[in-house]
Amino acid sequence: MPVQDFEKIFQDKIDAEIKIEPRDWMPEAYRKTNIRQISQHAHSEVVGMLPEGNWISRAPSLKRKAILIAKVQDEAGHGLYLYSSAETLGSSRDEMIADLLSGKAKYSSIFNYPSLTWADMGAIGWLVDGAAILNQVMLCRTSYGPYARAMVRICKEESFHQRQGFESLLVLSKGSEEQKAMCQDAINRWWWPSLMMFGPKDSESTNSDQSMKWKIKRKTNDELRQQFVDMIAVQVKVLGMTLPDDKLKWNEARKHYDFGDINWDEFWNVVKGNGPCNKQRLAARNKAHDEGAWVREAAMVYASKKANREKQEAA
Amino acid sequence: MNIQIRKYYYGDIPEDNAGGSESKESKVSPATGGGGNWPLWEVFIRSKQGLDHKHVGSLHAADAAMAIENARDVYTRRQEGVSIWVVESKFITASNPEEAGELYEPAADKIYRHPTFYELPDEVGHM
């Protein structure tokens, strides 16, 4: 069968909402795009543990500490679900990890911002996880089966992340003047980077809509971003706080909130490695990886010794 | 086929924009890699007594005992299971989707295997 026919069969399946599974024929570009996207997503989960890990030892109460540990553990799990699903496309775990550690692979640029106060834990849960959830809910219907299944699992767990963040801010918003100020400050710092998480404006994206055609993605950056703004603009009122955007206003005609311009220079700077914490994050990952090397080796040696012993006993 | 994905979507930063803060050579040796030299295991979980074990995903582990422990940590953090099976992925043989036609075709024309093939009078009641 000529390649053209395979491509047509493939596209027909996608159009008919039939999921693509690991051993099915797929265009090389579909495979590559999925590997890149899924592994970036996995890296984001893993690096995403760092800004929050920063506050585990300084959480204000045992309850908050337990919640934060559980959340960070979830992120590790999400990273693993995603690495596993990228591996079904023929990418090895070693390669993916190596690309993260060398700085070749990317992760969500939001994690290159520092977590300066305890209120940041709330703001990250509410805003950063809130933005991520919108993307992830969409991805539950992505065309590649293992990716979609990983996303379903992740979404089930993710809603706790956003709710704990909001609740944590709600407590601060009812606290002392200092606590209120800390809450507002965290929102101010995380708001714009959260909006940037959705990527450049649709109008600035160049050519191909291939990811849409292949149903890897089902909503554009701007659609998701608008959905996020509409959601957060309402929720922030419950906190009695404000978003740092004087252009934020309900537009009756559009039935959406209008909002101000995003600083795209800042966005590209952070993507390209010049954000506040890029170097620190990679250094932390590399250190953890290097210092864990002996554990990985020891486990392997132990396993093979044990297997040998069992073989000898059986003989 | 030579389609270049250039559109930047949420969560997918294209290579040519990816920059790279430190583009040093990869220093991850095979021996100390990201767990890839630990074999891959497939994980099956029974969500409650009386139900089948169901495939939930995979993970790397040095041996079976570690695979079970990792599966517990990764796939049952919220009481999703009461029993775990793990099997090294290399021991799984899968059918080939390209042969699906020949493989399943013989079942397609045997509709008499289904109860609805038989028309019985209403008096018989539920059968």
Side-chain angles (χ1 to χ4, degrees):
Chain A
M1 216 170 358
V3 174
Q4 215 53 41
D5 291 354
F6 280 117
E7 269 167 33
K8 188 174 176 312
I9 293 166
F10 174 82
Q11 189 62 49
D12 287 348
K13 267 200 209 160
I14 301 255
D15 293 343
E17 299 291 337
I18 296 171
K19 298 276 186 235
I20 305 303
E21 294 296 341
R23 286 166 60 96
D24 293 343
W25 186 92
M26 62 187 84
E28 252 334 277
Y30 178 84
R31 182 185 301 276
K32 274 193 188 147
T33 304
N34 264 300
I35 288 177
R36 189 178 61 227
Q37 186 179 318
I38 299 170
S39 62
Q40 280 179 11
H41 197 158
H43 299 329
S44 301
E45 301 285 353
V46 169
V47 178
M49 290 191 278
L50 297 171
E52 295 185 300
N54 184 31
W55 282 90
I56 289 178
S57 60
R58 292 178 281 166
S61 68
L62 189 57
K63 175 185 132 187
R64 293 289 171 195
K65 186 174 189 159
I67 292 171
L68 193 54
I69 290 173
K71 181 176 187 293
V72 170
Q73 193 191 10
D74 273 357
E75 308 296 1
H78 296 177
L80 188 127
Y81 304 154
L82 288 160
Y83 283 130
S84 298
S85 84
E87 283 176 276
T88 64
L89 288 161
S91 175
S92 84
R93 180 79 61 94
D94 279 347
E95 272 174 81
M96 292 188 276
I97 302 281
D99 286 349
L100 170 66
L101 296 180
S102 73
K104 184 182 168 217
K106 294 293 119 182
Y107 51 85
S108 181
S109 54
I110 191 87
F111 300 118
N112 289 319
Y113 289 85
S115 50
L116 302 177
T117 71
W118 168 251
D120 286 14
M121 295 305 98
I124 289 175
W126 177 42
L127 297 174
V128 176
D129 288 293
I133 288 169
L134 291 180
N135 184 46
Q136 288 166 342
V137 166
M138 168 191 76
L139 287 171
C140 289
R141 296 189 300 124
T142 192
S143 58
Y144 185 58
Y147 193 20
R149 291 193 285 276
M151 291 323 304
V152 169
R153 197 178 298 282
I154 288 175
C155 283
K156 274 188 200 156
E157 302 181 350
E158 199 75 50
S159 126
F160 134 62
H161 296 180
Q162 196 187 13
R163 288 173 66 102
Q164 67 83 31
F166 189 83
E167 192 237 24
S168 164
L169 290 183
L170 195 59
V171 171
L172 290 177
S173 75
K174 290 175 180 159
S176 66
E177 284 312 309
E178 286 88 346
Q179 286 171 324
K180 286 180 192 168
M182 186 165 80
C183 178
Q184 182 64 59
D185 165 67
I187 295 171
N188 290 351
R189 279 182 293 107
W190 289 94
W191 172 246
W192 290 107
S194 299
L195 286 189
M196 292 175 202
M197 282 175 72
F198 296 96
K201 279 195 277 193
D202 295 342
S203 56
E204 281 167 26
S205 301
T206 48
N207 60 64
S208 174
D209 266 6
Q210 197 63 49
S211 276
M212 289 289 225
K213 200 175 146 223
W214 280 336
K215 295 186 181 165
I216 297 173
K217 293 280 184 174
R218 289 170 180 266
K219 287 181 180 175
T220 69
N221 296 348
D222 283 342
E223 280 172 319
L224 287 169
R225 184 163 24 235
Q226 184 69 59
Q227 209 182 333
F228 179 70
V229 172
D230 291 349
M231 176 175 88
I232 299 299
V234 174
Q235 292 170 353
V236 73
K237 292 176 189 164
V238 181
L239 293 175
M241 298 282 147
T242 57
L243 297 174
D245 179 358
D246 51 19
K247 292 195 179 124
L248 187 80
K249 203 173 159 240
W250 176 251
N251 183 326
E252 187 56 34
R254 284 200 319 125
K255 299 280 179 208
H256 286 296
Y257 278 89
D258 291 336
F259 54 97
D261 293 327
I262 292 165
N263 181 350
W264 293 112
D265 290 341
E266 175 183 326
F267 171 77
W268 287 116
N269 253 323
V270 181
V271 169
K272 285 174 182 157
N274 305 316
C277 300
N278 296 55
K279 291 202 167 59
Q280 202 181 320
R281 300 291 184 235
L282 269 193
R285 282 311 316 153
N286 272 292
K287 182 168 178 274
H289 187 82
D290 294 345
E291 290 178 357
W294 71 271
V295 180
R296 293 190 294 277
E297 282 167 36
M300 210 53 217
V301 172
Y302 174 72
S304 74
K305 274 190 182 166
K306 204 171 69 170
N308 275 339
R309 202 161 47 231
E310 278 161 13
K311 217 189 284 172
Q312 276 172 5
E313 277 164 17
Chain B
M1 178 145 130
N2 189 21
I3 297 173
Q4 270 265 333
I5 308 275
R6 294 196 163 275
K7 188 149 180 159
Y8 179 123
Y9 281 103
Y10 179 123
D12 181 21
I13 304 164
E15 310 276 2
D16 49 352
N17 280 319
S21 46
E22 292 166 65
S23 46
K24 62 187 175 203
E25 279 300 295
S26 165
K27 58 171 186 171
V28 179
S29 68
T32 58
N37 62 329
W38 286 358
L40 189 65
W41 300 75
E42 300 299 323
V43 181
F44 300 80
I45 304 243
R46 185 202 296 286
S47 57
K48 64 177 201 186
Q49 294 293 109
L51 295 182
D52 294 324
H53 284 77
K54 195 179 159 203
H55 183 244
V56 293
S58 55
L59 47 77
H60 290 275
D63 58 19
M66 187 199 269
I68 295 264
E69 278 168 19
N70 288 357
R72 188 263 326 262
D73 291 344
V74 175
Y75 293 107
T76 64
R77 285 195 302 282
R78 288 174 177 77
Q79 298 174 298
E80 291 94 336
V82 293
S83 164
I84 301 173
W85 285 353
V86 292
V87 60
E88 250 194 271
S89 309
K90 68 178 180 192
F91 295 124
I92 290 188
T93 308
S95 62
N96 184 351
E98 273 152 42
E99 289 162 8
E102 303 92 285
L103 199 56
Y104 305 113
E105 188 276 335
D109 61 355
K110 293 181 181 63
I111 48 169
Y112 46 83
R113 287 185 191 269
H114 296 276
T116 46
F117 178 74
Y118 304 94
E119 275 190 39
L120 301 182
D122 288 347
E123 299 93 274
V124 177
H126 180 73
M127 183 185 276

